[in-house]
Amino acid sequence: MWDDAFPSFLIGLREGLEAGLIVSILVATLVRAEARSRLPQVWTGVLAAIAVAMSFGAVLTFTAASMPQTAQEAFGGVLSVIAVAFVTAMVFWMRRSARNLSSELKQKVTGALAMGSGMLILTSFLAVGREGLETALFLWTTAQAAGESAGPLTGAAIGLVLAAGLCWGLYRRVLKINLTKFFTATGVVLIVIAAGVLGYGLRDLQEGGVLPGKTAYAVDLAGSIDAGSWYSTLIQGVFNLMPTMTWLQVVAYVAYLAVVMTLFVRGVRVTAPKARPEPKPQSATQRPAQSSAEGSADGSGEGSTAPKPAAARRRPVWVVPAAVVAVPAVVAGLFVALGRPKPAGDQTVAVSETDCGKGFTAPAPGRQTFQMHNTGHQASEVYLVDPSTNAVYGEIEGLAPGTTRDLVATVAGGTYAWRCVPASGKAVTSKAVTVTGGGAAKPVAPVSEQDLAAPLKSYKAYVGKGLDTLFGQTRTLQHDIEGGHLDKARTDWLTAHRTYASLGAAYGTFEDFDKKIDGRADGLPGGERDKDFSGFLRLEYGLWHGHSAKELTGPARQLSTDVAGLRKAFPSQDFDPGDLPLRAHEILENTLQFELTGDTDEGSGTNLATADANLAGTRELLTVLKPLLTDRAPKVLPTVDTDIDRVQKLLDAQHDGGHWTPVEKLSAADRQRLDGATGQLLEDLAPIPDLLEIRKSA
């Protein structure tokens, strides 16, 4: 988390120190002027500034969350560019103003003392408010870049607490810090971080369609850099430099860094003129006496002899601070409440065989939240669909009887209805409503068993051919062992095992044969020596642990028998078409869990060879699913293909001829790179089961 927290830590430390110094100067000025009674007014302004900054952050968060995805990207990109402008201006302003900041603030406080409490509140509010707004905006943009808020908020909190401690030490004169050097050093680091935020923001604008060139890559190191490694994560989190960057990002990053850093460093070298000493603020006892006609603006003129009315009521001291803190929060709350999309007229939509869609009225276009309440007696699935095409805009699975859950969907102009699918029973479609207006909504095209019939037929043919090959390979392995040719048996074992591993999408269909052919020793009372331990892994253990040909003959014959039985049974086995999209993700999920951890290694050290076969099986599965995926999500397969090529290159680098590097002998860097690339591939494969899920229709 530190990689995401560091930029926010730095901005929290620097902005907190700036704001803290300002507050310290304000407080010290009042103390020296013997006007301690005015200190609550300073703290009121400070609290108001904090409230405004937090409210600003809340409004930014809500505004982005209520937008469609492309609009969120464009909105985030614009704010990232604005944040860069603010941070750039801030580092230059502090470099220029640090020497004269104290004298300028003292002058403002001295003037505010003569003009009343309101002016002193405004002075402290304006002095601190700028830092608060800058901090809120920068934190929001760094959280967007990180994709999570815990790290940035934690870093900012640590920075602010540390800044508060430093300011207290400076005020109490127990610490001495060269502030010029501090702000110069942090300014240099912030400029580098801001360059990365600028690149990230421009990328968001490209993804949101505001700027062109989102596929014009200047740098693409995704195939050679492990995105999940510690160093890659650190660089991405701190500097927002990605393995893949467009030409616009690279040019903007280099140009910003070159221009701004040069100007900043040159400015540091210029010696600023010393500020003229400011006259010490006069204390209340040193001010010239005023006449009764020249009382101070707040009615407390020291020359006035007129007694105050006895009945005059004093306003409670907490009223003004409470008001200035509450007002920004209330305004932000109203903004969020009034801007939030209403859940379809604030009506609950019923889900059941008899009441499906009851309470549903035509919503306004945009992002909507529907409260789905199951009024029936059994669990149900519910879909928001276009009844003419069966396209799905939103869904809830497993809605239990009597329960209510929110369904969030984006609607545009068109026709909509609810489809309720009880756990046992016929699907029911509600009366359709028509939504008028513009906007854009991206439904998921429905998939039926008929749609998956052709891919299933192609994949079954692939598996059938693989089983024919496997049958011959296991017979050869059996003959090797029966003839005592154990060296050849080891080679032929790997060939046969790779063939079986490439049939991963059919494992669920193989029924009990899979346990016999490729079952593990885990859970067996005798472990590897257990009589029920059979198949490829039993032979692997024996071949690489010095077992004799006589000991291995029985397991080899049993493996051949089991493969022959599977080959004969497979054509009549029930292959659920819904398994195909599920296996697109699950094959490599098991690879990451078992093969890439070495958990299934029984001595051969060939887990990476098995992983390579699993990858080939996934590639074949995606080939048969390609027509369905291309129609529904044309961007998924190109991304997945790139990921597969990356994993393939990493696996290819770990074998030479028939020898594969054992998992436990991989270097830490190679292992991290392979795990990271496989994890990224799994992440990009994850949407496929949802895209190709079979959904019931009425």
Side-chain angles (χ1 to χ4, degrees):
M1 185 174 66
W2 178 244
D3 49 287
D4 291 332
F6 177 73
S8 297
F9 164 77
L10 187 62
I11 199 71
L13 176 61
R14 183 183 170 106
E15 295 278 10
L17 191 54
E18 287 183 23
L21 288 173
I22 290 172
V23 173
S24 297
I25 293 169
L26 295 177
V27 171
T29 303
L30 291 178
V31 170
R32 291 175 185 174
E34 299 182 10
R36 291 178 180 270
S37 60
R38 297 292 190 91
L39 288 178
Q41 296 162 14
V42 171
W43 295 118
T44 298
V46 171
L47 289 175
I50 294 173
V52 168
M54 295 180 68
S55 300
F56 178 58
V59 169
L60 287 180
T61 302
F62 162 74
T63 302
S66 62
M67 292 179 174
Q69 184 63 34
T70 54
Q72 287 185 33
E73 290 167 346
F75 181 71
V78 170
L79 289 182
S80 294
V81 174
I82 293 174
V84 170
F86 276 165
V87 170
T88 306
M90 177 262 290
V91 296
F92 278 93
W93 174 81
M94 198 61 190
R95 187 205 67 197
R96 183 178 63 253
S97 305
R99 291 182 177 88
N100 301 323
L101 182 63
S102 178
S103 59
E104 291 177 3
L105 283 173
K106 289 177 182 178
Q107 288 179 350
K108 291 180 180 179
V109 172
T110 301
L113 279 172
M115 297 181 67
S117 59
M119 196 63 190
L120 192 55
I121 292 174
L122 181 62
T123 299
S124 59
F125 171 79
L126 293 177
V128 179
R130 174 189 171 182
E131 318 301 331
L133 292 176
E134 286 178 352
T135 303
L137 181 57
F138 196 84
L139 282 180
W140 188 87
T141 55
T142 52
Q144 290 294 109
E148 53 98 15
S149 58
L153 290 179
T154 300
I158 295 173
L160 289 171
V161 170
L162 181 57
L166 292 174
C167 288
W168 180 87
L170 290 170
Y171 178 77
R172 304 297 298 180
R173 297 183 180 180
V174 297
L175 285 178
K176 290 184 179 181
I177 299 175
N178 189 323
L179 294 176
T180 300
K181 290 184 178 180
F182 172 83
F183 286 119
T184 299
T186 55
V188 169
V189 179
L190 278 176
I191 288 172
V192 176
I193 292 175
V197 173
L198 176 62
Y200 174 84
L202 293 177
R203 180 61 179 169
D204 266 357
L205 291 174
Q206 289 178 313
E207 293 289 346
V210 177
L211 294 176
K214 68 177 182 179
T215 58
Y217 297 113
V219 178
D220 188 359
L221 302 177
S224 56
I225 292 180
D226 176 14
S229 64
W230 67 267
Y231 55 85
S232 179
T233 304
L234 182 65
I235 292 173
Q236 292 180 55
V238 175
F239 302 112
N240 279 301
L241 290 176
M242 306 299 174
T244 303
M245 296 181 69
T246 64
W247 278 106
L248 179 61
Q249 287 180 280
V250 173
V251 171
Y253 182 90
V254 173
Y256 173 88
L257 204 56
V259 173
V260 176
M261 189 67 77
T262 300
L263 293 175
F264 184 79
V265 173
R266 284 182 180 177
V268 170
R269 293 174 181 173
V270 177
T271 303
K274 293 183 179 180
R276 288 178 293 180
E278 301 297 328
K280 183 178 179 180
Q282 294 179 334
S283 67
T285 58
Q286 292 173 325
R287 292 186 207 143
Q290 295 174 316
S291 66
S292 60
E294 295 175 325
S296 64
D298 63 352
S300 60
E302 296 176 15
S304 175
T305 57
K308 294 181 180 179
R313 287 187 176 180
R314 295 189 62 185
R315 184 171 51 201
V317 295
W318 55 267
V319 171
V320 174
V324 297
V325 172
V327 167
V330 171
V331 171
L334 289 174
F335 183 90
V336 171
L338 295 177
R340 176 176 297 170
K342 296 181 179 180
D346 292 324
Q347 297 179 21
T348 299
V349 180
V351 178
S352 74
E353 292 181 90
T354 57
D355 297 332
C356 184
K358 184 177 180 180
F360 179 48
T361 58
R367 188 178 177 87
Q368 300 290 347
T369 301
F370 303 93
Q371 295 179 324
M372 311 306 299
H373 179 64
N374 189 341
T375 59
H377 300 289
Q378 57 181 316
S380 179
E381 299 176 2
V382 59
Y383 307 103
L384 179 63
V385 301
D386 180 342
S388 62
T389 64
N390 290 324
V392 178
Y393 290 87
E395 64 184 292
I396 294 177
E397 297 182 358
L399 183 62
T403 61
T404 301
R405 284 163 59 186
D406 287 349
L407 186 152
V408 180
T410 300
V411 299
T415 305
Y416 297 86
W418 292 102
R419 179 159 296 145
C420 305
V421 186
S424 59
K426 185 179 179 181
V428 178
T429 302
S430 73
K431 181 180 178 181
V433 302
T434 300
V435 175
T436 58
K442 294 182 179 180
V444 175
V447 175
S448 65
E449 290 192 16
Q450 185 61 35
D451 293 325
L452 284 169
L456 181 60
K457 182 179 179 180
S458 297
Y459 194 77
K460 289 182 73 172
Y462 163 77
V463 174
K465 185 178 179 180
L467 289 175
D468 290 342
T469 302
L470 181 65
F471 174 72
Q473 292 171 342
T474 53
R475 291 294 298 271
T476 299
L477 175 60
Q478 176 188 341
H479 293 154
D480 291 340
I481 293 176
E482 289 175 340
H485 308 300
L486 297 187
D487 286 339
K488 187 174 185 299
R490 294 184 184 94
T491 300
D492 290 338
W493 174 88
L494 180 58
T495 300
H497 191 237
R498 281 169 53 81
T499 297
Y500 185 78
S502 68
L503 309 178
Y507 290 168
T509 304
F510 290 166
E511 299 174 349
D512 292 338
F513 283 106
D514 180 54
K515 185 176 181 181
K516 296 176 182 178
I517 293 172
D518 205 34
R520 302 163 62 193
D522 295 0
L524 296 177
E528 283 84 357
R529 295 282 184 175
D530 196 277
K531 62 181 179 63
D532 291 328
F533 184 36
S534 63
F536 279 111
L537 299 187
R538 167 66 183 92
L539 287 176
E540 178 188 6
Y541 181 79
L543 286 169
W544 274 271
H545 283 82
H547 290 194
S548 67
K550 182 179 180 180
E551 291 177 284
L552 295 176
T553 296
R557 289 175 179 173
Q558 185 62 49
L559 175 61
S560 292
T561 300
D562 291 334
V563 168
L566 174 60
R567 180 190 180 206
K568 181 179 180 180
F570 177 71
S572 60
Q573 287 180 327
D574 183 20
F575 200 140
D576 186 350
D579 283 350
L580 285 182
L582 287 174
R583 299 296 184 264
H585 182 271
E586 288 179 353
I587 295 174
L588 291 178
E589 188 175 47
N590 289 336
T591 302
L592 185 63
Q593 181 179 0
F594 299 117
E595 269 64 54
L596 296 187
T597 59
D599 191 54
T600 54
D601 183 19
E602 292 291 353
S604 68
T606 58
N607 276 133
L608 295 186
T610 306
D612 182 71
N614 291 156
L615 190 65
T618 300
R619 197 190 297 269
E620 178 65 29
L621 179 56
L622 293 173
T623 298
V624 302
L625 294 175
K626 183 176 181 179
L628 295 176
L629 288 171
T630 301
D631 290 343
R632 289 161 176 79
K635 295 182 180 180
V636 168
L637 276 182
T639 301
V640 167
D641 287 342
T642 300
D643 293 340
I644 289 178
D645 290 342
R646 186 183 310 149
V647 176
Q648 188 68 67
K649 289 178 182 177
L650 294 172
L651 289 172
D652 289 344
Q654 299 303 327
H655 77 94
D656 181 13
H659 177 265
W660 289 80
T661 304
V663 170
E664 66 271 14
K665 292 187 178 180
L666 287 172
S667 67
D670 287 342
R671 190 162 185 171
Q672 288 177 349
R673 191 176 295 116
L674 184 56
D675 288 346
T678 306
Q680 183 62 52
L681 173 54
L682 283 170
E683 183 177 334
D684 292 331
L685 286 170
I688 292 178
D690 289 334
L691 288 170
L692 301 184
E693 180 184 356
I694 297 175
R695 295 174 171 89
K696 295 181 181 179
S697 59

